[in-house]
Amino acid sequence: MENHKIKIGIDVGGTKICAGLVKDGNILTKETIPTPITENREKVIESIHSIIKKLKVRNLAGIGIGVPGLVNIKAGVVYDIQNIPALTGVSLKETIEKQWNLPVYVNNDANCFAVSEATDGAAAGAPVVFGVIIGTGTGGGICIDGRPLIGANAISGEWGHNPLPWSQEDELPGTQCYCGQRGCIETFLSGPGMSRDHLQHTATTLSAKQIIALAEQNNDAALQTLYRYEDRLARGLASIINILDPDVIVLGGGLSNIARLYENVPGLWSQYVFSDRVDTRLVPPMHGDSSGARGAAWLWPLPV
């Protein structure tokens, strides 16, 4: 990887767009703006251009972009992005290259996150790493020896659109997911999924952030919501351990800031893992909100 050159790494999220000038994996300077998810395609692309303009310096090597959706990596076309529907069908690669006359690489945000943390982050040196995004949506990326595992269909790690494992009676048939299925992991483990679960049990509409704050004040209803969330997260990750058997699982996204997850979830997942011991480590990200942008820069210019 030619990481001695300066690149722009951009993490386009459902809530915010983070971008940074990256050299040797280090963020030299960073900018963050809200994602205009309710606006049209032109407004979203304009926001990406504006954040590049804020960071643009001479002699850039290129631009890496991570998005929370499925990507045709060779063409740089986003073909399924529920959190930012205006970008569906857009060739970000072609659009950004034309504007800035720089090579552009586009990948899934969870792949970017996993690469960042596996390269020199919380999972540095681990042979097999599963990077998890739990925020507006639920995604995942796999790194083997520091390199992303893309897969034949470019969907490696997309655990969010499998059914919640070991479902309980009151969890069936599950909420309708945008992908067309019911009971997907994303409908339970995303921020909106936590809010929906709390509403179902309390008839009170709260954001995930509000629920977490109440739980920290020992509010019983909020604590019960977190107990259910932790068990579901344990079940979902146990199914990953049973298939991939990763050395480290790194959590990212807004819900990764819930400190109690790192103790409680491993205490629950052993009952679902098909082994007499579980040595997989569950860890928070080392690079926090910068990981997606760092990973987008790290990924470029890996061959696809």
Side-chain angles (χ1 to χ4, degrees):
M1 287 186 226
E2 297 179 357
N3 284 302
H4 58 283
K5 296 182 179 180
I6 297 177
K7 305 164 197 160
I8 290 179
I10 304 174
D11 182 13
V12 182
T15 303
K16 58 190 175 183
I17 301 173
C18 298
L21 285 177
V22 182
K23 182 178 181 181
D24 299 324
N26 298 312
I27 299 282
L28 304 180
T29 184
K30 185 170 72 169
E31 295 284 345
T32 302
I33 60 174
T35 305
I37 58 172
T38 60
E39 302 292 342
N40 59 29
R41 175 175 300 182
E42 288 71 25
K43 287 290 186 182
V44 179
I45 293 174
E46 182 182 312
S47 294
I48 297 173
H49 285 319
S50 72
I51 206 166
I52 294 172
K53 186 176 182 180
K54 289 182 179 182
L55 293 170
K56 184 72 164 63
V57 297
R58 284 186 168 186
N59 301 319
L60 280 175
I63 299 170
I65 304 175
V67 296
L70 302 181
V71 180
N72 179 324
I73 296 174
K74 290 184 178 180
V77 176
V78 182
Y79 63 91
D80 189 346
I81 181 166
Q82 176 66 13
N83 296 335
I84 317 170
L87 287 182
T88 297
V90 174
S91 175
L92 277 181
K93 176 179 172 64
E94 180 180 347
T95 301
I96 304 301
E97 282 183 343
K98 183 178 180 180
Q99 175 73 18
W100 296 100
N101 194 30
L102 285 167
V104 173
Y105 183 93
V106 184
N107 207 318
N108 174 267
D109 63 341
N111 290 339
C112 296
F113 169 76
V115 165
S116 173
E117 294 296 332
T119 302
D120 63 350
V128 181
V129 176
F130 186 60
V132 174
I133 302 293
I134 41 175
T136 307
T138 302
I142 299 169
C143 275
I144 308 295
D145 294 327
R147 295 179 66 88
L149 179 65
I150 304 301
N153 304 293
I155 57 171
S156 179
E158 287 293 346
W159 71 311
H161 294 286
N162 290 295
L164 182 70
W166 299 282
S167 293
Q168 300 171 8
E169 188 174 344
D170 63 350
E171 295 169 336
L172 297 171
T175 301
Q176 184 75 38
C177 183
Y178 78 88
C179 73
Q181 305 298 330
R182 299 187 72 92
C184 287
I185 287 173
E186 177 164 309
T187 65
F188 290 100
L189 296 184
S190 63
M194 180 185 287
S195 298
R196 187 184 306 110
D197 176 69
H198 190 77
L199 175 63
Q200 289 173 348
H201 285 85
T202 68
T204 303
T205 301
L206 295 174
S207 67
K209 186 175 181 179
Q210 291 171 319
I211 294 166
I212 295 162
L214 284 174
E216 290 173 349
Q217 298 169 24
N218 291 318
N219 177 274
D220 184 64
L223 285 170
Q224 292 301 320
T225 297
L226 281 191
Y227 292 149
R228 291 189 296 274
Y229 184 88
E230 288 166 351
D231 184 64
R232 289 163 180 163
L233 181 57
R235 282 183 268 156
L237 294 180
S239 68
I240 295 297
I241 295 171
N242 284 341
I243 295 170
L244 184 63
D245 204 11
D247 298 274
V248 182
I249 297 174
V250 189
L251 300 185
L255 297 181
S256 70
N257 295 317
I258 306 174
R260 53 183 284 162
L261 296 180
Y262 301 97
E263 180 177 355
N264 293 351
V265 171
L268 292 167
W269 68 22
S270 59
Q271 62 188 302
Y272 304 112
V273 173
F274 187 61
S275 176
D276 62 342
R277 55 184 288 174
V278 185
D279 294 328
T280 299
R281 294 187 292 121
L282 181 68
V283 299
M286 179 179 292
H287 300 292
D289 289 346
S290 299
S291 235
R294 290 179 79 257
W298 272 117
L299 277 170
W300 188 93
L302 288 178
V304 297

